[in-house]
Amino acid sequence: MTHTAILLMGPTASGKTDLAISLCKRFPCDVISVDSALVYRGMDIGTAKPDPDTLARTPHRLIDIREPEESYSAGEFVRDAYREMDEIFAAGRIPLLVGGTMMYFRALTEGIAALPSADEAIRRAIDAEAAERGWPAMYEELEIVDPQAAQRIKPKDRQRIQRALEVYRSSGQPLSDWQRNSAPARNDIGYLKVGLNIEPRSLLHERIERRLDLMIAGGFVDEMKRLRERPGLVADCSAMRSVGYRQFWQYLEGDHSLEEARDRALFATRQLAKRQITWLRSETKVLLADPLEAGAIDVISSFLAQSL
């Protein structure tokens, strides 16, 4: 049996949340967030996270599921999203996946490769090193480059040691990361894709700037100060590499003035929007709509009603 889910995609500040709420009033939908920053607790203002009243009226799944010190991968998102979709399907409702993390959408619809293919040249080089240095030395190297894999692999398991080192040397990523991120696409779910695209681009840029200024006025700097007080949170954490958070962390470090941090965050957010639009235009079978045009919600609703 094939189920159908709705994907509502678009650049930052394009009005995805408001449109999702409107769609939930017209269709029996439950919202799943597709946003790599909204997963983190305590990151509310700088992510434009829906406020508590909005979330009470229209609950969003996959929001506030990680501490900002923790990592969250595309593979983990896919597994979490499938779990939430299955619950929604079981209740006889329609998953509405909403967000701007295009990599997550792509991973969901196309899957993530499990592991890089074998590289015979690297494998032979590892065997030659092992003949010279011994497999215990190769295992010690694995403990350095991929301690998680080393914990699962026995020191005398030459084949698995070789494969783990091969993956690391060929891709630059530990085997444990590949295994954590891998997630195959399911063929029992069909997707209706809706993309938001505001034209001309200058209108989107104005919305981005206005929202950033509202964030700053609404206490974004104080939010950053609270986050920086967390003992395990550092600038290199994935959460703090999010647009806006990186620039204002640097401001609190004394690297920039507040005005410069604001300008850098604005530039970075506009660049993010540009990348999101590029991803969106590469999608196939997607209805593109300008949410600022009169009747946009009716056009989108008609498209969905004909296909659901």
Side-chain angles (χ1 to χ4, degrees), residues 134-282:
W135 282 103
M138 304 306 289
Y139 183 77
E140 289 175 3
E141 179 181 333
L142 179 61
E143 288 181 310
I144 295 172
V145 301
D146 192 350
Q148 292 183 15
Q151 287 180 351
R152 299 192 304 269
I153 297 174
K154 296 180 179 179
K156 293 185 179 181
D157 191 338
R158 298 181 179 184
Q159 185 175 356
R160 295 183 67 195
I161 295 170
Q162 178 198 59
R163 179 56 175 157
L165 289 174
E166 176 195 354
V167 167
Y168 178 76
R169 293 186 184 185
S170 65
S171 68
Q173 288 185 296
L175 172 66
S176 56
D177 283 359
W178 279 96
Q179 292 172 331
R180 184 169 63 91
N181 292 336
S182 64
R186 282 171 50 174
N187 57 14
D188 63 333
I189 301 175
Y191 299 100
L192 297 175
K193 302 177 184 178
V194 178
L196 302 187
N197 188 33
I198 294 175
E199 294 288 354
R201 189 76 58 85
S202 59
L203 289 179
L204 179 61
H205 285 181
E206 290 173 6
R207 290 168 64 91
I208 290 171
E209 183 170 14
R210 184 163 59 249
R211 189 176 71 171
L212 176 59
D213 288 338
L214 287 173
M215 289 175 179
I216 296 171
F220 183 34
V221 174
D222 289 335
E223 177 175 276
M224 284 297 311
K225 289 178 180 177
R226 290 193 296 272
L227 288 167
R228 289 182 76 252
E229 291 174 355
R230 299 174 67 105
L233 194 62
V234 296
D236 287 338
C237 287
S238 297
M240 291 301 101
R241 293 200 297 268
S242 301
V243 167
Y245 287 85
R246 178 196 297 271
Q247 291 77 22
F248 279 86
W249 184 289
Q250 293 169 338
Y251 157 65
L252 293 175
E253 288 285 306
D255 296 339
H256 312 304
S257 66
L258 179 60
E259 182 178 2
E260 186 175 2
R262 181 262 187 196
D263 291 344
R264 285 172 175 261
L266 178 59
F267 176 79
T269 308
R270 287 174 173 170
Q271 290 298 110
L272 170 63
K274 181 179 179 180
R275 294 193 299 272
Q276 290 169 318
I277 292 169
T278 299
W279 273 77
L280 188 58
R281 288 175 174 169
S282 72

Side-chain angles (χ1 to χ4, degrees), residues 8 11-20 98 196 198 204 207 211 291:
L8 180 57
T12 184
S14 59
K16 298 182 293 295
T17 299
D18 289 342
L19 186 55
V98 183
L196 302 187
I198 294 175
L204 179 61
R207 290 168 64 91
R211 189 176 71 171

Side-chain angles (χ1 to χ4, degrees), residues 4-142:
T4 300
I6 302 168
L7 307 184
L8 180 57
M9 308 174 282
T12 184
S14 59
K16 298 182 293 295
T17 299
D18 289 342
L19 186 55
I21 292 171
S22 296
L23 289 176
C24 286
K25 294 176 180 178
R26 299 187 177 204
F27 298 93
C29 291
D30 290 340
V31 176
I32 300 174
S33 172
V34 186
D35 190 296
S36 60
L38 292 186
V39 300
Y40 294 112
R41 302 183 187 98
M43 294 173 57
D44 303 327
I45 298 172
T47 61
K49 188 177 293 179
D51 60 60
D53 288 342
T54 298
L55 293 176
R57 293 193 304 271
T58 310
H60 286 46
R61 301 177 185 225
L62 302 190
I63 284 182
D64 292 338
I65 61 171
R66 287 289 189 279
E67 298 299 333
E69 296 87 355
E70 299 173 334
S71 62
Y72 190 67
S73 70
E76 289 173 303
F77 164 77
V78 171
R79 288 188 285 273
D80 289 344
Y82 282 150
R83 182 191 66 242
E84 300 297 338
M85 282 193 284
D86 285 339
E87 289 185 5
I88 295 169
F89 290 137
R93 296 176 64 79
I94 304 167
L96 173 57
L97 293 96
V98 183
T101 302
M102 301 306 180
M103 180 177 64
Y104 284 7
F105 281 118
R106 187 67 56 86
L108 185 70
T109 57
E110 298 183 10
I112 303 173
L115 287 174
S117 57
D119 189 314
E120 289 299 328
I122 292 177
R123 187 168 293 182
R124 286 194 297 270
I126 292 171
D127 284 340
E129 285 185 42
E132 180 179 345
R133 300 169 53 202
W135 282 103
M138 304 306 289
Y139 183 77
E140 289 175 3
E141 179 181 333
L142 179 61

